[in-house]
Amino acid sequence: MTTEQVGTATGQNGVSTGQAVVLDGPGAFRLVDHTPRSPGPGEVLVRVHAAGVCGSDREVYQGNRPEGYVRYPVTPGHEWSGTVAGAGEGVPAALVGRKAVGAGFRNCQVCERCHAGDTTLCAAGYEETGFTQPGAMAPTLTLPARLLHLLDDAADLTAAALLEPAACVAAAVLKADIRAGDKVAVVGAGTLGLLAAQLLRTASPAALLMVGLDAERATLAAEFGATDYRTPEAAAGLGGYDVVVEAAGSATAARAAAGLLRRGGRLVLTGLPAPGAEGLDPAELVVRQTEVRTVFGAPPAAWAHAVRAFTAGLLAPLPLVTHRLPLTEYEQALTLTGSGDPAVGKVLLHP
């Protein structure tokens, strides 16, 4: 594991005043001097420990994120962990000094969907940290205190930086509604798939199959709870699973996942394939009475589930971290994340 980190200047109250990444548009980024924004009413200032890099960050850099789901210029970074360094008016002062992670969706709190707890379906439109609002690829992040999820004082902030993707798969796990003894499969053996397996095994499935492109991932999959690991070719012809969670986002993943289900099974889709991907056959879905559920982002219940599992030691994502780089290596982090190398897991940037 690479552990090199950059040193940064420190201002008042121990808040870092180093550099931040700013994307002016696709492929155009700068490292700029960072000035922390003082928290306003209802806000907190967080000193960032680590920011994770994922496929969505590559989309923002490459310019192929769907219209309306990014606003340039922007400081990226929606996966993060840190320590509360300041609190604005109306925020309990006791939060200062607490380790924390935070939800990214900036929901309105007053629409029907928000009141129902479906904050990722907020009727006011899409706003998210790191995409349309300043993100965590900076020494500090200022955000509404209501988005925080507090951690124990002993929490490992490096591992906690993976709680955002864990919350997304926690949303899928909750929608999967696993019962003890179910046969479960996960399609996709990347960060999301492995985190999903770790959460799914807590429900005591009778079998937990993981399907991934790289046979080398079999050992890691077993460590994260899989009872069997297959490549897509080796998984062809298998079936009879009660629940399948798709966490690959490839052009063929949804159809392959549906093919593993028993009649009347539940399919949970989390991936966002590129336009032109193979669709599910409506006739097959109807005849087989397949129940399809989807996930985009993580509502509060999913965040709470992921943080609870992390605190209890049931979710232990640290083995997925393979590279830790200084923020100045932002472009290298994107290259590693998109390399397709099975030896590359989660890449973290440290301000």
Side-chain angles (χ1 to χ4, degrees):
M1 179 184 295
T2 302
T3 57
E4 179 187 3
Q5 297 185 36
V6 293
T8 56
T10 302
Q12 293 182 344
N13 301 319
V15 174
S16 176
T17 56
Q19 291 185 304
V21 174
V22 173
L23 267 170
D24 292 310
F29 82 96
R30 297 174 287 138
L31 286 171
V32 303
D33 291 338
H34 175 72
T35 301
R37 181 174 72 78
S38 297
E43 293 185 323
V44 291
L45 174 70
V46 173
R47 182 171 61 252
V48 177
H49 171 78
V53 182
C54 81
S56 297
D57 295 301
R58 282 178 51 80
E59 288 178 353
V60 172
Y61 178 78
Q62 294 170 339
N64 50 15
R65 188 161 172 82
E67 185 178 356
Y69 289 87
V70 64
R71 186 163 58 239
Y72 302 103
V74 66
T75 292
H78 60 288
E79 303 178 7
W80 60 269
S81 63
T83 303
V84 179
E89 182 183 349
V91 177
L95 291 183
V96 177
R98 292 295 304 272
K99 294 179 179 180
V101 291
F105 280 75
R106 308 291 185 94
N107 58 299
C108 74
Q109 298 184 282
V110 296
C111 72
E112 180 182 358
R113 287 297 88 209
C114 284
H115 282 307
D118 296 325
T119 54
T120 58
L121 297 174
C122 177
Y126 172 79
E127 294 286 346
E128 186 176 4
T129 299
F131 298 108
T132 64
Q133 297 289 332
M137 291 186 187
T140 70
L141 173 66
T142 304
L143 74 163
R146 60 183 172 81
L147 299 180
L148 287 183
H149 290 266
L150 300 177
L151 305 174
D152 286 349
D153 291 342
D156 182 340
L157 285 177
T158 299
L162 278 73
L163 280 173
E164 193 278 342
C168 292
V169 295
V173 168
L174 292 175
K175 286 198 173 185
D177 192 22
I178 305 295
R179 289 111 180 181
D182 277 348
K183 289 182 62 180
V184 181
V186 177
V187 174
T191 297
L192 291 178
L194 288 162
L195 290 172
Q198 201 168 61
L199 287 173
L200 288 164
R201 73 176 177 181
T202 66
S204 301
L208 181 50
L209 168 70
M210 177 163 282
V211 180
L213 296 176
D214 302 301
E216 296 88 346
R217 287 245 157 174
T219 299
L220 189 58
E223 292 175 5
F224 273 68
T227 59
D228 190 11
Y229 184 91
R230 305 285 183 98
T231 62
E233 295 75 20
L238 295 180
Y241 287 85
D242 300 290
V243 179
V244 178
V245 175
E246 178 276 314
S250 67
T252 59
R255 181 167 288 190
L260 293 169
L261 283 168
R262 64 165 170 80
R263 296 171 65 87
R266 296 185 297 285
L267 174 64
V268 184
L269 303 176
T270 72
L272 285 172
E278 290 185 9
L280 298 173
D281 185 342
E284 279 290 303
L285 295 179
V286 172
V287 170
R288 295 176 59 82
Q289 298 182 56
T290 300
E291 185 176 349
V292 181
R293 302 177 181 182
T294 62
V295 169
F296 177 63
W303 269 99
H305 184 60
V307 171
R308 227 178 9 247
F310 177 74
T311 301
L314 299 172
L315 181 66
L318 189 60
L320 297 180
V321 178
T322 58
H323 294 76
R324 298 170 62 186
L325 303 174
L327 194 63
T328 51
E329 297 297 323
Y330 163 72
E331 203 165 19
Q332 173 65 9
L334 291 176
T335 299
L336 283 167
T337 300
S339 68
D341 184 345
V344 177
K346 175 57 67 175
V347 178
L348 299 183
L349 289 171
H350 292 272

